[in-house]
Amino acid sequence: LKTSIAVDVEKFIVTGFKISGKPVHDAKHASSLLRQCHKRRKADCYLMDKGYDSEKIHTLINEELKAEAIIPVRYRKRKKIKGKCSRLNIWNSH
């Protein structure tokens, strides 16, 4: 069983959740979980662990939800980070 949960850390309210019957990567639930969460309680920023570091998720948060993505950068063998929103996250985090 795999569960992903979104929480409003100021109010300690669960704002979204996804459950699957088998182990899946965190990013698989991200889009639907973020939209579900944003529909219930719009946020200015979304803080996620590095398992969610992908251009698709950064773009969804920045451009569709009009919020800031705070996601640690995953270690990459290549030095250059591709993707406008992923690079933007790096510049904003310093």
Coordinates of all heavy atoms in Angstrom, one line a residue:
L1 N 0.8 -1.2 0.0 CA 0.0 0.0 0.0 C 0.9 1.2 0.0 O 1.9 1.3 0.7 CB -0.9 0.0 1.2 CG -2.0 1.0 1.3 CD1 -3.0 0.8 0.3 CD2 -2.6 1.0 2.7
K2 N 0.6 2.2 -0.8 CA 1.3 3.5 -0.9 C 0.4 4.6 -0.7 O -0.7 4.7 -1.3 CB 2.0 3.6 -2.3 CG 2.6 4.9 -2.6 CD 3.8 5.2 -1.8 CE 4.5 6.5 -2.2 NZ 5.7 6.7 -1.5
T3 N 0.7 5.5 0.3 CA -0.1 6.6 0.5 C 0.7 7.9 0.3 O 1.9 7.9 0.7 CB -0.7 6.7 1.9 OG1 0.3 6.6 2.9 CG2 -1.6 5.5 2.1
S4 N 0.1 8.9 -0.2 CA 0.7 10.3 -0.3 C -0.3 11.2 0.3 O -1.5 11.2 0.0 CB 0.9 10.6 -1.8 OG 1.8 9.7 -2.4
I5 N 0.2 12.1 1.2 CA -0.7 13.0 1.9 C -0.2 14.4 1.8 O 1.0 14.6 2.0 CB -0.8 12.5 3.4 CG1 -1.3 11.1 3.5 CG2 -1.7 13.5 4.2 CD1 -1.2 10.5 4.9
A6 N -1.1 15.3 1.6 CA -0.8 16.8 1.6 C -1.4 17.4 2.9 O -2.5 17.1 3.2 CB -1.4 17.5 0.4
V7 N -0.6 18.2 3.6 CA -1.0 18.8 4.8 C -0.8 20.3 4.8 O 0.3 20.8 4.4 CB -0.3 18.2 6.0 CG1 -0.6 18.8 7.3 CG2 -0.5 16.7 6.1
D8 N -1.7 21.1 5.3 CA -1.5 22.5 5.5 C -0.8 22.6 6.9 O -1.4 22.3 7.9 CB -2.9 23.2 5.6 CG -2.8 24.7 5.9 OD1 -1.8 25.1 6.6 OD2 -3.7 25.5 5.5
V9 N 0.5 23.0 6.8 CA 1.3 23.0 8.1 C 1.0 24.1 9.0 O 1.4 24.0 10.2 CB 2.8 23.0 7.7 CG1 3.2 21.7 7.0 CG2 3.2 24.2 6.9
E10 N 0.3 25.1 8.6 CA -0.2 26.2 9.5 C -1.4 25.7 10.4 O -1.5 26.0 11.5 CB -0.4 27.5 8.8 CG 0.8 28.1 8.2 CD 0.5 29.4 7.5 OE1 -0.7 29.7 7.3 OE2 1.5 30.1 7.1
K11 N -2.3 25.1 9.7 CA -3.6 24.7 10.3 C -3.6 23.2 10.7 O -4.6 22.8 11.4 CB -4.8 25.0 9.4 CG -4.9 26.4 8.9 CD -5.5 27.3 9.8 CE -5.7 28.6 9.2 NZ -6.2 29.6 10.1
F12 N -2.6 22.4 10.3 CA -2.6 21.0 10.6 C -3.8 20.3 10.1 O -4.4 19.5 10.8 CB -2.3 20.7 12.1 CG -1.1 21.3 12.6 CD1 -1.1 22.4 13.4 CD2 0.2 20.8 12.2 CE1 0.1 23.0 13.9 CE2 1.3 21.3 12.7 CZ 1.3 22.4 13.5
I13 N -4.2 20.6 8.8 CA -5.3 20.0 8.2 C -4.8 19.2 7.0 O -4.0 19.7 6.2 CB -6.3 21.1 7.7 CG1 -6.8 21.9 8.9 CG2 -7.4 20.5 6.9 CD1 -7.6 23.2 8.5
V14 N -5.3 18.0 6.8 CA -5.1 17.2 5.6 C -5.9 17.8 4.5 O -7.1 17.9 4.5 CB -5.4 15.7 5.8 CG1 -5.3 14.9 4.5 CG2 -4.6 15.1 6.9
T15 N -5.1 18.2 3.4 CA -5.8 18.9 2.3 C -5.9 18.0 1.1 O -6.6 18.3 0.1 CB -5.0 20.1 1.9 OG1 -3.7 19.8 1.6 CG2 -5.1 21.2 3.0
G16 N -5.3 16.8 1.1 CA -5.4 15.9 0.0 C -4.7 14.6 0.3 O -3.8 14.5 1.2
F17 N -5.1 13.5 -0.4 CA -4.4 12.2 -0.2 C -4.7 11.4 -1.4 O -5.6 11.5 -2.2 CB -4.9 11.5 1.0 CG -6.4 11.2 1.0 CD1 -6.8 9.9 0.5 CD2 -7.3 12.0 1.5 CE1 -8.1 9.6 0.5 CE2 -8.7 11.7 1.5 CZ -9.1 10.5 1.0
K18 N -3.7 10.5 -1.7 CA -3.8 9.5 -2.8 C -3.4 8.2 -2.2 O -2.4 8.1 -1.4 CB -2.9 9.8 -3.9 CG -3.4 11.0 -4.7 CD -4.7 10.8 -5.2 CE -4.9 11.1 -6.7 NZ -6.3 10.9 -7.1
I19 N -4.1 7.1 -2.5 CA -3.7 5.8 -2.1 C -3.7 4.8 -3.3 O -4.5 4.9 -4.2 CB -4.8 5.2 -1.1 CG1 -4.9 6.2 0.1 CG2 -4.5 3.8 -0.7 CD1 -6.1 5.9 1.0
S20 N -2.6 4.0 -3.3 CA -2.5 3.0 -4.4 C -2.3 1.6 -3.7 O -1.7 1.6 -2.6 CB -1.5 3.3 -5.4 OG -0.2 3.3 -4.8
G21 N -2.6 0.6 -4.4 CA -2.5 -0.8 -3.8 C -1.1 -1.4 -3.9 O -0.9 -2.5 -3.5
K22 N -0.2 -0.6 -4.6 CA 1.1 -1.1 -4.7 C 2.1 0.0 -4.6 O 1.8 1.2 -4.7 CB 1.3 -1.8 -6.1 CG 1.0 -0.9 -7.3 CD 1.0 -1.6 -8.6 CE 0.7 -0.7 -9.7 NZ 0.7 -1.3 -11.0
P23 N 3.4 -0.3 -4.4 CA 4.4 0.8 -4.3 C 4.6 1.5 -5.6 O 4.6 0.9 -6.7 CB 5.7 0.0 -3.9 CG 5.3 -1.3 -3.5 CD 4.0 -1.6 -4.1
V24 N 4.5 2.8 -5.6 CA 4.7 3.6 -6.8 C 5.7 4.8 -6.4 O 5.8 5.1 -5.2 CB 3.4 4.2 -7.3 CG1 2.5 3.1 -7.9 CG2 2.7 5.0 -6.3
H25 N 6.3 5.4 -7.4 CA 7.2 6.5 -7.1 C 6.3 7.7 -6.7 O 5.2 7.9 -7.1 CB 7.9 6.9 -8.4 CG 9.0 7.9 -8.2 ND1 8.8 9.2 -8.1 CD2 10.3 7.7 -8.0 CE1 10.0 9.8 -7.8 NE2 10.9 8.9 -7.8
D26 N 6.8 8.5 -5.8 CA 6.1 9.7 -5.2 C 5.6 10.6 -6.4 O 4.5 11.1 -6.3 CB 7.0 10.6 -4.4 CG 7.4 9.9 -3.1 OD1 6.7 8.9 -2.7 OD2 8.4 10.3 -2.4
A27 N 6.4 10.8 -7.4 CA 6.0 11.7 -8.5 C 4.7 11.3 -9.2 O 4.0 12.1 -9.8 CB 7.1 12.0 -9.4
K28 N 4.4 10.0 -9.2 CA 3.3 9.5 -9.9 C 2.0 10.1 -9.4 O 1.0 10.3 -10.1 CB 3.2 7.9 -9.8 CG 2.1 7.3 -10.6 CD 2.2 5.8 -10.6 CE 1.0 5.2 -11.2 NZ 0.9 5.2 -12.7
H29 N 1.9 10.3 -8.1 CA 0.7 10.9 -7.5 C 0.7 12.4 -7.5 O -0.3 13.0 -7.1 CB 0.5 10.4 -6.0 CG 0.1 9.0 -5.9 ND1 0.3 8.3 -4.7 CD2 -0.4 8.1 -6.8 CE1 -0.1 7.1 -4.9 NE2 -0.6 6.9 -6.1
A30 N 1.8 13.0 -7.8 CA 2.0 14.4 -7.5 C 1.0 15.3 -8.2 O 0.4 16.2 -7.5 CB 3.4 14.9 -7.9
S31 N 0.8 15.2 -9.5 CA -0.1 16.1 -10.2 C -1.6 16.1 -9.6 O -2.1 17.1 -9.3 CB -0.2 15.8 -11.7 OG 1.1 16.0 -12.3
S32 N -2.1 14.9 -9.5 CA -3.5 14.8 -9.0 C -3.6 15.3 -7.5 O -4.5 15.9 -7.1 CB -4.1 13.4 -9.2 OG -3.3 12.5 -8.5
L33 N -2.5 14.9 -6.7 CA -2.5 15.3 -5.3 C -2.4 16.9 -5.2 O -3.1 17.5 -4.4 CB -1.3 14.7 -4.6 CG -1.2 14.9 -3.1 CD1 -2.4 14.5 -2.4 CD2 0.0 14.3 -2.6
L34 N -1.6 17.5 -6.0 CA -1.4 18.9 -5.9 C -2.7 19.7 -6.4 O -3.1 20.6 -5.7 CB -0.2 19.4 -6.8 CG 1.1 19.2 -6.2 CD1 2.2 19.3 -7.3 CD2 1.4 20.2 -5.1
R35 N -3.3 19.2 -7.4 CA -4.6 19.8 -7.9 C -5.7 19.6 -6.8 O -6.4 20.5 -6.6 CB -5.0 19.2 -9.2 CG -4.2 19.7 -10.4 CD -4.7 19.2 -11.7 NE -3.8 19.7 -12.8 CZ -2.9 18.9 -13.4 NH1 -2.7 17.7 -13.0 NH2 -2.2 19.4 -14.3
Q36 N -5.8 18.4 -6.2 CA -6.8 18.2 -5.2 C -6.5 19.1 -4.0 O -7.5 19.7 -3.5 CB -6.6 16.7 -4.7 CG -7.6 16.3 -3.7 CD -7.3 14.9 -3.2 OE1 -6.2 14.6 -2.8 NE2 -8.3 14.0 -3.2
C37 N -5.3 19.2 -3.6 CA -4.9 20.1 -2.5 C -5.2 21.5 -2.8 O -5.8 22.3 -1.9 CB -3.4 19.9 -2.2 SG -2.8 20.8 -0.9
H38 N -4.8 22.0 -4.0 CA -5.0 23.4 -4.3 C -6.5 23.8 -4.5 O -6.9 24.9 -4.2 CB -4.3 23.7 -5.6 CG -4.0 25.1 -5.9 ND1 -3.0 25.8 -5.2 CD2 -4.6 26.0 -6.8 CE1 -3.0 27.1 -5.7 NE2 -4.0 27.2 -6.6
K39 N -7.3 22.8 -4.9 CA -8.8 23.1 -5.0 C -9.4 23.3 -3.6 O -10.2 24.2 -3.5 CB -9.4 21.8 -5.6 CG -10.8 22.1 -6.2 CD -11.4 20.9 -6.8 CE -10.9 20.7 -8.2 NZ -11.6 19.6 -8.9
R40 N -8.9 22.6 -2.6 CA -9.5 22.7 -1.2 C -8.9 24.0 -0.5 O -9.6 24.6 0.3 CB -9.1 21.5 -0.4 CG -9.9 20.3 -0.9 CD -9.9 19.2 0.2 NE -10.8 18.2 -0.2 CZ -10.5 17.0 -0.6 NH1 -9.2 16.7 -0.6 NH2 -11.4 16.1 -0.9
R41 N -7.6 24.2 -0.7 CA -6.9 25.3 0.0 C -5.8 25.8 -0.8 O -4.7 25.2 -0.8 CB -6.5 24.7 1.4 CG -5.9 25.7 2.3 CD -5.5 25.1 3.6 NE -6.0 25.8 4.8 CZ -7.2 25.7 5.3 NH1 -8.1 24.9 4.9 NH2 -7.5 26.5 6.4
K42 N -6.0 26.9 -1.4 CA -4.9 27.5 -2.2 C -3.7 27.9 -1.4 O -3.9 28.5 -0.3 CB -5.4 28.7 -3.0 CG -6.4 28.3 -4.1 CD -6.8 29.5 -4.9 CE -7.7 29.2 -6.0 NZ -8.6 28.0 -5.9
A43 N -2.5 27.6 -1.8 CA -1.3 27.9 -1.1 C -0.4 28.8 -1.9 O -0.4 28.7 -3.1 CB -0.6 26.6 -0.7
D44 N 0.4 29.5 -1.2 CA 1.4 30.4 -1.9 C 2.7 29.6 -2.2 O 3.4 29.9 -3.2 CB 1.8 31.5 -1.0 CG 0.7 32.5 -0.7 OD1 -0.1 32.7 -1.6 OD2 0.7 33.1 0.4
C45 N 2.9 28.5 -1.5 CA 4.1 27.6 -1.8 C 3.8 26.2 -1.4 O 3.0 26.0 -0.5 CB 5.3 28.2 -1.1 SG 5.4 27.9 0.6
Y46 N 4.5 25.3 -2.1 CA 4.4 23.9 -1.8 C 5.7 23.4 -1.5 O 6.7 23.5 -2.3 CB 3.8 23.1 -3.0 CG 2.3 23.5 -3.2 CD1 1.9 24.5 -4.0 CD2 1.3 22.8 -2.5 CE1 0.5 24.8 -4.2 CE2 0.0 23.1 -2.6 CZ -0.4 24.1 -3.4 OH -1.7 24.4 -3.6
L47 N 5.9 22.8 -0.3 CA 7.2 22.3 0.2 C 7.1 20.7 0.0 O 6.2 20.1 0.6 CB 7.4 22.7 1.6 CG 8.6 22.1 2.3 CD1 9.9 22.5 1.7 CD2 8.6 22.5 3.8
M48 N 8.0 20.2 -0.7 CA 8.0 18.8 -1.0 C 9.4 18.2 -0.9 O 10.4 19.0 -1.0 CB 7.4 18.5 -2.4 CG 6.1 19.2 -2.6 SD 5.6 19.2 -4.4 CE 4.6 17.7 -4.4
D49 N 9.5 16.9 -0.7 CA 10.9 16.3 -0.6 C 11.4 16.1 -2.0 O 10.7 16.3 -3.0 CB 10.9 15.0 0.2 CG 10.1 13.9 -0.4 OD1 10.2 13.7 -1.6 OD2 9.6 13.1 0.4
K50 N 12.7 15.7 -2.1 CA 13.4 15.6 -3.3 C 12.9 14.6 -4.3 O 13.2 14.6 -5.5 CB 14.9 15.5 -3.1 CG 15.4 14.2 -2.5 CD 16.9 14.3 -2.3 CE 17.3 13.0 -1.6 NZ 18.8 13.1 -1.4
G51 N 12.1 13.7 -3.8 CA 11.4 12.7 -4.7 C 10.5 13.3 -5.7 O 10.2 12.7 -6.7
Y52 N 10.1 14.5 -5.5 CA 9.2 15.3 -6.3 C 9.9 16.2 -7.3 O 9.3 17.0 -8.0 CB 8.2 16.0 -5.5 CG 7.2 15.2 -4.8 CD1 7.5 14.8 -3.4 CD2 6.1 14.6 -5.4 CE1 6.6 14.0 -2.7 CE2 5.2 13.8 -4.7 CZ 5.5 13.5 -3.3 OH 4.6 12.7 -2.6
D53 N 11.3 16.2 -7.3 CA 12.0 17.1 -8.1 C 12.0 16.7 -9.6 O 12.7 15.9 -10.0 CB 13.5 17.2 -7.6 CG 14.4 18.1 -8.4 OD1 13.8 19.1 -9.0 OD2 15.6 17.9 -8.5
S54 N 11.1 17.3 -10.3 CA 11.0 17.1 -11.7 C 10.4 18.3 -12.4 O 9.7 19.1 -11.8 CB 10.0 15.9 -12.1 OG 8.7 16.3 -11.9
E55 N 10.8 18.5 -13.7 CA 10.3 19.7 -14.4 C 8.8 19.8 -14.5 O 8.2 20.8 -14.3 CB 11.0 19.7 -15.8 CG 10.6 20.9 -16.6 CD 11.0 22.3 -16.0 OE1 11.9 22.3 -15.2 OE2 10.5 23.3 -16.5
K56 N 8.2 18.6 -14.7 CA 6.7 18.6 -14.8 C 6.1 19.1 -13.5 O 5.1 19.9 -13.6 CB 6.3 17.1 -15.0 CG 4.8 16.9 -15.2 CD 4.5 15.5 -15.5 CE 3.0 15.2 -15.5 NZ 2.7 13.8 -15.7
I57 N 6.6 18.7 -12.4 CA 6.0 19.1 -11.1 C 6.3 20.6 -10.8 O 5.4 21.4 -10.4 CB 6.5 18.3 -9.9 CG1 6.0 16.8 -10.1 CG2 6.0 18.8 -8.6 CD1 6.6 15.8 -9.2
H58 N 7.5 21.1 -11.1 CA 7.8 22.5 -10.9 C 6.9 23.3 -11.8 O 6.4 24.4 -11.4 CB 9.3 22.7 -11.3 CG 10.3 22.3 -10.3 ND1 10.5 23.1 -9.1 CD2 11.1 21.2 -10.2 CE1 11.4 22.4 -8.4 NE2 11.8 21.3 -9.0
T59 N 6.7 22.9 -13.1 CA 5.9 23.7 -14.0 C 4.5 23.7 -13.5 O 3.8 24.8 -13.6 CB 6.0 23.0 -15.4 OG1 7.4 23.0 -15.8 CG2 5.2 23.8 -16.4
L60 N 3.9 22.6 -13.1 CA 2.6 22.6 -12.6 C 2.4 23.6 -11.4 O 1.5 24.4 -11.4 CB 2.2 21.2 -12.1 CG 0.9 21.1 -11.3 CD1 -0.3 21.3 -12.2 CD2 0.8 19.7 -10.7
I61 N 3.3 23.6 -10.5 CA 3.2 24.5 -9.3 C 3.4 25.9 -9.7 O 2.6 26.8 -9.3 CB 4.2 24.1 -8.2 CG1 3.9 22.7 -7.6 CG2 4.3 25.1 -7.1 CD1 5.0 22.1 -6.7
N62 N 4.4 26.2 -10.5 CA 4.7 27.6 -10.8 C 3.7 28.2 -11.8 O 3.3 29.3 -11.6 CB 6.1 27.7 -11.4 CG 7.2 27.4 -10.5 OD1 8.2 26.8 -10.8 ND2 7.0 27.7 -9.2
E63 N 3.4 27.5 -12.9 CA 2.6 28.1 -13.9 C 1.1 27.8 -13.8 O 0.3 28.7 -14.1 CB 3.1 27.6 -15.3 CG 4.5 28.1 -15.5 CD 5.1 27.6 -16.9 OE1 4.4 26.9 -17.6 OE2 6.3 27.9 -17.1
E64 N 0.7 26.7 -13.4 CA -0.8 26.4 -13.3 C -1.3 26.8 -12.0 O -2.4 27.5 -11.9 CB -1.0 24.9 -13.5 CG -2.5 24.5 -13.5 CD -2.8 23.1 -13.8 OE1 -2.0 22.4 -14.5 OE2 -3.7 22.5 -13.2
L65 N -0.6 26.5 -10.9 CA -1.2 26.8 -9.6 C -0.7 28.2 -9.1 O -1.2 28.6 -8.1 CB -0.7 25.7 -8.6 CG -1.1 24.3 -8.9 CD1 -0.6 23.3 -7.8 CD2 -2.6 24.2 -9.1
K66 N 0.2 28.8 -9.8 CA 0.7 30.2 -9.5 C 1.2 30.2 -8.1 O 0.9 31.1 -7.3 CB -0.4 31.2 -9.7 CG -1.1 31.2 -11.0 CD -0.1 31.6 -12.1 CE -0.8 31.7 -13.4 NZ 0.0 31.5 -14.6
A67 N 2.1 29.3 -7.7 CA 2.6 29.2 -6.4 C 4.2 28.9 -6.5 O 4.7 28.7 -7.6 CB 2.0 28.1 -5.6
E68 N 4.8 28.9 -5.4 CA 6.3 28.7 -5.4 C 6.5 27.2 -5.0 O 5.9 26.7 -4.1 CB 7.0 29.6 -4.4 CG 8.4 29.4 -4.3 CD 9.1 30.3 -3.3 OE1 8.4 31.1 -2.7 OE2 10.3 30.2 -3.2
A69 N 7.4 26.6 -5.7 CA 7.8 25.2 -5.4 C 9.1 25.2 -4.6 O 10.1 25.8 -5.0 CB 8.0 24.4 -6.7
I70 N 9.1 24.6 -3.4 CA 10.3 24.5 -2.6 C 10.5 23.0 -2.5 O 9.9 22.3 -1.8 CB 10.1 25.1 -1.2 CG1 9.7 26.6 -1.3 CG2 11.3 24.9 -0.4 CD1 9.4 27.2 0.0
I71 N 11.4 22.5 -3.4 CA 11.8 21.1 -3.5 C 13.3 21.0 -3.6 O 13.9 21.6 -4.5 CB 11.1 20.5 -4.8 CG1 9.6 20.8 -4.8 CG2 11.5 19.0 -4.9 CD1 9.0 20.4 -6.2
P72 N 13.9 20.3 -2.7 CA 15.4 20.1 -2.8 C 15.8 19.4 -4.1 O 15.0 18.6 -4.6 CB 15.7 19.2 -1.6 CG 14.6 19.2 -0.7 CD 13.4 19.6 -1.6
V73 N 16.9 19.8 -4.6 CA 17.4 19.2 -5.9 C 17.9 17.8 -5.7 O 18.7 17.6 -4.8 CB 18.5 20.2 -6.5 CG1 19.0 19.6 -7.8 CG2 17.9 21.6 -6.7
R74 N 17.5 16.9 -6.5 CA 18.0 15.5 -6.5 C 19.5 15.6 -7.0 O 19.8 16.4 -7.9 CB 17.2 14.6 -7.4 CG 16.0 14.1 -6.8 CD 15.2 13.2 -7.7 NE 14.9 13.9 -8.9 CZ 14.8 13.4 -10.1 NH1 15.0 12.1 -10.3 NH2 14.4 14.1 -11.2
Y75 N 20.3 14.7 -6.5 CA 21.7 14.6 -7.1 C 21.6 14.1 -8.5 O 20.9 13.2 -8.8 CB 22.5 13.6 -6.2 CG 23.8 13.3 -6.9 CD1 24.9 14.2 -6.8 CD2 24.0 12.1 -7.5 CE1 26.1 14.0 -7.4 CE2 25.3 11.9 -8.1 CZ 26.3 12.8 -8.1 OH 27.5 12.6 -8.7
R76 N 22.3 14.8 -9.4 CA 22.3 14.4 -10.8 C 23.8 14.3 -11.2 O 24.6 15.1 -10.8 CB 21.6 15.5 -11.6 CG 20.1 15.6 -11.4 CD 19.6 16.7 -12.3 NE 18.1 16.7 -12.3 CZ 17.4 17.4 -11.4 NH1 17.9 18.1 -10.5 NH2 16.1 17.3 -11.5
K77 N 24.1 13.3 -12.0 CA 25.4 13.2 -12.5 C 25.8 14.3 -13.4 O 27.0 14.8 -13.4 CB 25.6 11.8 -13.2 CG 25.5 10.7 -12.2 CD 25.8 9.4 -12.9 CE 25.7 8.3 -11.9 NZ 25.9 7.0 -12.4
R78 N 24.9 14.8 -14.2 CA 25.2 16.0 -15.1 C 25.1 17.2 -14.2 O 24.3 17.4 -13.3 CB 24.3 16.0 -16.3 CG 22.8 16.2 -15.9 CD 21.9 16.2 -17.2 NE 20.6 16.7 -16.9 CZ 19.6 15.9 -16.4 NH1 19.9 14.7 -16.2 NH2 18.4 16.4 -16.2
K79 N 25.9 18.2 -14.6 CA 25.9 19.5 -13.8 C 24.8 20.4 -14.2 O 24.2 21.1 -13.4 CB 27.2 20.2 -14.1 CG 28.4 19.4 -13.6 CD 28.4 19.4 -12.1 CE 29.7 18.6 -11.6 NZ 29.7 18.3 -10.2
K80 N 24.4 20.4 -15.5 CA 23.4 21.3 -16.0 C 22.0 20.8 -15.7 O 21.7 19.7 -15.9 CB 23.5 21.5 -17.5 CG 22.6 22.6 -18.1 CD 22.9 22.8 -19.5 CE 21.9 24.0 -20.0 NZ 22.2 24.4 -21.3
I81 N 21.2 21.7 -15.1 CA 19.8 21.4 -14.8 C 18.9 21.8 -15.9 O 18.9 23.0 -16.2 CB 19.3 22.0 -13.5 CG1 20.3 21.7 -12.3 CG2 17.9 21.7 -13.1 CD1 20.3 20.2 -11.9
K82 N 18.2 20.9 -16.6 CA 17.4 21.3 -17.7 C 16.0 21.7 -17.2 O 15.6 21.2 -16.2 CB 17.3 20.1 -18.7 CG 18.6 19.8 -19.3 CD 18.4 18.7 -20.3 CE 19.7 18.4 -21.0 NZ 19.6 17.4 -22.1
G83 N 15.3 22.5 -17.9 CA 14.0 22.9 -17.6 C 13.9 24.3 -16.9 O 14.6 24.5 -15.9
K84 N 13.1 25.1 -17.4 CA 13.0 26.5 -16.9 C 12.6 26.6 -15.5 O 13.2 27.2 -14.6 CB 12.0 27.3 -17.8 CG 11.7 28.7 -17.3 CD 10.6 29.3 -18.1 CE 9.7 30.1 -17.2 NZ 8.4 30.4 -17.8
C85 N 11.6 25.8 -15.1 CA 11.0 25.9 -13.7 C 12.0 25.2 -12.7 O 12.1 25.7 -11.6 CB 9.7 25.2 -13.7 SG 8.4 26.2 -14.5
S86 N 12.6 24.1 -13.1 CA 13.6 23.5 -12.2 C 14.8 24.4 -12.0 O 15.3 24.5 -10.8 CB 14.1 22.2 -12.9 OG 13.1 21.2 -12.9
R87 N 15.3 25.1 -13.0 CA 16.4 26.0 -12.8 C 15.9 27.2 -11.9 O 16.7 27.7 -11.1 CB 16.9 26.5 -14.2 CG 17.7 25.5 -14.9 CD 18.5 26.2 -16.1 NE 17.7 27.1 -16.9 CZ 17.0 26.7 -17.9 NH1 16.9 25.4 -18.3 NH2 16.3 27.6 -18.6
L88 N 14.7 27.7 -12.1 CA 14.2 28.8 -11.3 C 14.1 28.4 -9.8 O 14.5 29.2 -9.0 CB 12.8 29.1 -11.8 CG 12.1 30.3 -11.2 CD1 12.8 31.6 -11.5 CD2 10.6 30.4 -11.7
N89 N 13.8 27.1 -9.5 CA 13.8 26.6 -8.2 C 15.2 26.7 -7.6 O 15.3 27.1 -6.4 CB 13.3 25.2 -8.1 CG 13.2 24.6 -6.7 OD1 12.6 25.2 -5.8 ND2 13.8 23.5 -6.5
I90 N 16.2 26.4 -8.3 CA 17.6 26.5 -7.8 C 17.9 27.9 -7.5 O 18.5 28.2 -6.4 CB 18.6 25.9 -8.8 CG1 18.3 24.4 -8.9 CG2 20.0 26.1 -8.4 CD1 19.1 23.7 -10.0
W91 N 17.6 28.8 -8.4 CA 18.0 30.2 -8.2 C 17.2 30.8 -7.0 O 17.8 31.6 -6.2 CB 17.7 31.1 -9.4 CG 18.3 30.5 -10.7 CD1 17.7 30.7 -11.9 CD2 19.5 29.8 -10.9 NE1 18.5 30.1 -12.9 CE2 19.6 29.5 -12.3 CE3 20.5 29.3 -10.1 CZ2 20.6 28.8 -12.9 CZ3 21.6 28.6 -10.7 CH2 21.6 28.4 -12.0
N92 N 16.0 30.4 -6.8 CA 15.2 31.0 -5.7 C 15.6 30.4 -4.4 O 15.3 30.9 -3.3 CB 13.7 30.7 -5.9 CG 13.1 31.6 -7.0 OD1 13.7 32.6 -7.3 ND2 12.1 31.1 -7.6
S93 N 16.2 29.2 -4.4 CA 16.5 28.5 -3.1 C 17.8 29.0 -2.5 O 18.2 28.7 -1.4 CB 16.6 27.0 -3.3 OG 17.6 26.7 -4.1
H94 N 18.6 29.8 -3.2 CA 19.9 30.3 -2.7 C 19.8 31.7 -2.1 O 19.0 32.5 -2.3 CB 20.9 30.3 -3.8 CG 21.4 28.9 -4.1 ND1 20.9 28.3 -5.2 CD2 22.2 28.0 -3.5 CE1 21.4 27.0 -5.3 NE2 22.2 26.9 -4.2

